[in-house]
Amino acid sequence: MDKVLHKLRKLDAYPKVNEDFYSRTFSGGLITLVSFVLMLFLFFSELRLFLHTVSETKLVVDTSRGGTLHINFDVTFPAVPCSLLSLDAMDISGEQHLDIRHDIVKKRIDAHGNVIEVRQDGIGAPKVEKPLQRHGGRLEHNEEYCGSCYGSETSDDDCCNSCEEVREAYRKKGWALTNMDMIDQITHRINKLSFGHYFPGLINPLDGVQWVHENPNGAYQYFIKVVPAIFTDIRGRSIQSNQYSVTEHFRSADPGRSRSLAGVFFFYDISPVKVTFKEEHIPFLHFMTHICAIIGGIFTVAGIIDSFVYHGQRVVKKKM
């Protein structure tokens, strides 16, 4: 047994020094205190990183087919009557779905954006009345909407559907146009547009976008690239959703055509690449490795600094 204990003593990598050979200095105590504070700061920094979740992002090929794409949208048209607004859809094969009313809610608003009336569209909903014209009649078949010229009309047939047309009518009258804010414009605001459910970190680039156009005969086009995404939280719960990027373009009406299709168009294409987001913690063994590296590294550097300071002080004392 004594032989075994003797061999274990020889394996001791931390030889002990007799206290009679110790020399404690003020500089050594100061370095020890600074080292301890630094170790404590780095420890809590690593602990915060360990408790904080990190997101791992990967790109994979999307092999899913036949899924349903949920589109959530909220668009405001301040100068267009509800009866003129309709939702149409067309897929890549050319199949059209006109005047979609399922899960569509229209809110009638005033000039200041306050809600006047809320009506749920759907199958069997009451027929929408023809919109009221400036002259008091209803919009008939193949008849274009006639906006007000705000008193500058020269006849009952004059219509002003844009700021430029109102400006021109006022110029012909010789009137000064002072308050442009009171004039109807063809305009739209996208309050929300998303594809799928929300997950932490999701950004929809079209949320809150607003455009104002003086030309009523034109189409504003959004070309959207939809990228499927899967978000998995720290508890393992997954959310199927989508991200998207977008480019915008306004196409004016052809000069030679008296009638053109005006509206806001969203052209979207599904990317074949899927993005996966996964929340996770730093592994505990990595955390312990960092803690040991902090303690050992600071002790080693502090020992080297203390050795230089101690030898420097001895040299100074010898010279004195």
Side-chain angles (χ1 to χ4, degrees), residues 83 99 101 119 121-122 124-130:
S83 54
D99 196 14
R101 297 185 178 184
R119 181 170 55 82
D121 276 1
K127 186 178 180 179
V128 180
E129 292 184 354
K130 300 174 182 178

Side-chain angles (χ1 to χ4, degrees), residues 50-105:
F50 173 71
L51 297 177
H52 181 70
T53 58
V54 295
S55 181
E56 182 183 2
T57 305
K58 291 183 180 179
L59 295 176
V60 296
V61 177
D62 186 12
T63 58
S64 60
R65 290 294 182 268
T68 302
L69 181 63
H70 296 274
I71 303 177
N72 312 301
F73 65 93
D74 181 3
V75 185
T76 301
F77 296 90
V80 182
C82 287
S83 54
L84 287 179
L85 294 175
S86 65
L87 177 64
D88 304 330
M90 183 175 65
D91 58 21
I92 194 172
S93 64
E95 182 180 356
Q96 296 184 358
H97 302 272
L98 303 179
D99 196 14
I100 300 175
R101 297 185 178 184
H102 183 62
D103 292 335
I104 303 298
V105 176

Side-chain angles (χ1 to χ4, degrees), residues 70 167 209 279 297 308:
H70 296 274
R167 224 184 260 116
V209 171
E279 287 185 341
F308 276 110

Side-chain angles (χ1 to χ4, degrees), residues 113-128:
N114 300 318
V115 178
I116 301 175
E117 178 187 6
V118 178
R119 181 170 55 82
Q120 172 75 42
D121 276 1
I123 300 175
K127 186 178 180 179
V128 180

Side-chain angles (χ1 to χ4, degrees), residues 195-312:
F195 297 84
H197 302 288
Y198 173 80
F199 62 86
L202 177 63
I203 298 177
N204 300 314
L206 285 180
D207 287 358
V209 171
Q210 179 172 347
W211 292 97
V212 178
H213 306 286
E214 296 184 356
N215 184 6
N217 297 323
Y220 208 91
Q221 300 171 329
Y222 296 94
F223 298 92
I224 300 174
K225 192 69 172 182
V226 180
V227 181
I230 299 179
F231 175 81
T232 306
D233 62 14
I234 196 65
R235 299 181 179 179
R237 296 175 297 187
S238 297
I239 300 176
Q240 300 277 347
S241 187
N242 301 274
Q243 293 181 311
Y244 67 90
S245 61
V246 62
T247 56
E248 307 157 4
H249 175 68
F250 178 74
R251 187 180 66 181
S252 301
D254 297 334
R257 300 178 60 184
S258 59
R259 295 176 60 88
S260 62
L261 184 62
V264 180
F265 297 86
F266 298 92
F267 302 90
Y268 60 90
D269 184 26
I270 309 297
S271 173
V273 177
K274 179 185 296 184
V275 183
T276 62
F277 302 92
K278 184 178 181 181
E279 287 185 341
E280 57 184 13
H281 285 301
I282 297 177
F284 180 74
L285 291 180
H286 289 187
F287 170 71
M288 292 303 301
T289 302
H290 293 169
I291 296 301
C292 293
I294 289 173
I295 297 174
I298 292 179
F299 263 121
T300 302
V301 174
I304 295 174
I305 295 175
D306 179 66
S307 178
F308 276 110
V309 172
Y310 178 71
H311 287 292

